[in-house]
């Protein structure tokens, strides 16, 4: 969706000239797949609503996702020097600029919702509530602290599941729930469930691919191995991990039926995301 790129560029154009702006442009236009806004916008489209006027409500999620990646790469967290095949923000710029770029993206994201004239006042409040709940201390950030605490520790599959829910599923859920708010539907809870299964399946697949593919085929470093982090395969073994995956895919397909999105653009998008080979 080229409009996503265009709108992100026009947001960057509004920023005052500074190293902060350069860092935000570097990371925000740095090759993200835009999975989260695409899923939410495609859900609207599949329900017969043109997503274009509401694009900012979905870019909020992309901006928060981007801030989380910048902070996740910092020396105090995962200490990564490469992301998307390029130097991470604190390497390309410096640590202070990376911290501030994340802070700015998080804070500016709320303005994207507030300034959207197509949303009612109530919808804006509902969307901000969703974002704060899914990204904050009960959501993604909680997942990050759980992840840090889990390193070199024995954790259960329930712990891992919760971490994946918080770190990966929560922002996908936020995007689908935002679509639910715009559709004024009673189905926000079901969209939340749909996001849960999409996120979990995405992560379990990642664990399986990381285990079964060579680093060259996988296309990124086998980071979980290196850091001795628990994965679905290390906790359950490959066969059981595959069994859980099959079970989750079946549940996801039932939900797709229930929500009347089978054979729509949304269904195609979900399949594209979950049928990846690396
Ligand atoms: C630092 C507050 C804070 C949170 C960090 C998102 C996150 C939480 C950590 C990044 C590490 C990671 C692998 C998290 C799981 C979420 C995930 C699948 C991130 C990668 O998302 P993609 O593939 O990234 O959509 P692109 O590069 O396409 O934007």
């Amino acid at each position: 969706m080229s409009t996503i790129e265009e709108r992100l560029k026009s947001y960057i154009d509004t920023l005052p000239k500074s190293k902060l702006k350069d860092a935000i442009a570097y990371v925000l236009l740095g090759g993200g797949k835009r999975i989260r806004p695409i899923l939410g916008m495609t859900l609207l489209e599949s329900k017969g609503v043109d997503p274009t006027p509401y694009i900012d409500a979905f870019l909020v999620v992309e901006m928060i996702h981007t801030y989380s990646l910048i902070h996740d790469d910092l020396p105090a967290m995962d200490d990564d020097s490469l992301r998307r095949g390029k130097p991470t923000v604190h390497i390309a710029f410096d640590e202070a600029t990376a911290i501030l770029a994340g802070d700015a993206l998080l804070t500016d994201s709320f303005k994207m919702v507030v300034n959207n004239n197509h949303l009612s006042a109530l919808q804006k409040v509902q969307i901000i509530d969703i974002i704060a709940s899914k990204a904050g201390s009960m959501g993604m950030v909680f997942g990050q602290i759980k992840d840090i605490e889990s390193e070199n520790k024995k954790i259960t599959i329930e712990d891992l599941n919760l971490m994946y829910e918080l770190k990966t599923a929560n922002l996908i859920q936020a995007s689908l729930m935002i679509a639910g708010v715009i559709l004024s539907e009673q189905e926000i809870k079901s969209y939340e469930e749909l996001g849960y299964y999409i996120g979990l399946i995405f992560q379990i697949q990642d664990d399986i691919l990381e285990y079964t593919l060579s680093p060259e085929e996988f296309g990124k470093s086998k980071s979980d191995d290196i850091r001795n982090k628990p994965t679905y395969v290390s906790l359950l073994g490959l066969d059981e991990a595959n069994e859980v995956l099959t079970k989750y895919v079946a549940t996801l397909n039932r939900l797709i039926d229930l929500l009347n999105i089978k054979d729509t653009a949304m269904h195609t998008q979900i399949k594209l995301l979950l049928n990846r080979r690396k």
Side-chain angles (χ1 to χ4, degrees), residues 214-273:
S214 69
E216 295 73 37
E217 287 169 317
F218 190 56
K220 46 186 174 180
S221 67
K222 292 193 165 194
S223 54
D224 295 331
D225 247 17
I226 293 163
R227 279 178 228 292
N228 201 13
K229 276 191 187 177
T231 70
Y232 251 76
V233 180
S234 72
L235 290 183
L236 295 182
L238 184 60
D239 289 348
E240 213 180 313
N242 268 313
E243 273 168 35
V244 177
L245 180 66
T246 309
K247 207 177 75 191
Y248 278 17
V249 170
T251 309
L252 175 73
N253 285 331
R254 272 199 299 279
L255 265 173
I256 287 172
D257 272 341
L258 207 76
L259 289 166
N260 282 323
I261 49 171
K262 197 171 158 60
D263 299 329
T264 63
M266 182 64 182
H267 193 191
T268 309
Q269 202 57 59
I270 294 172
K271 284 193 284 193
L272 264 177
L273 179 65

Side-chain angles (χ1 to χ4, degrees), residues 31-36 62 65-73 77-78 83-84 135 140-141 143-144 147 167-168 171 202-203 206 220:
K33 295 183 290 297
R34 317 299 191 205
I35 291 170
R36 295 152 191 82
E62 185 67 16
H65 162 67
T66 308
Y67 118 71
S68 80
L69 298 183
I70 304 172
H71 282 191
D72 187 56
D73 291 333
M77 302 230 189
D78 262 7
R83 177 169 295 273
R84 301 166 176 157
M140 181 185 72
V141 175
Q144 182 73 354
D147 190 351
K167 280 185 62 176
T168 306
L171 288 192
F202 183 81
Q203 271 313 149
D206 211 60
K220 46 186 174 180

Side-chain angles (χ1 to χ4, degrees), residues 167-185:
K167 280 185 62 176
T168 306
N170 268 11
L171 288 192
I172 297 175
Q173 290 178 307
S175 189
L176 301 186
M177 291 166 79
I178 291 169
V181 168
I182 295 166
L183 292 163
S184 321
E185 285 202 8

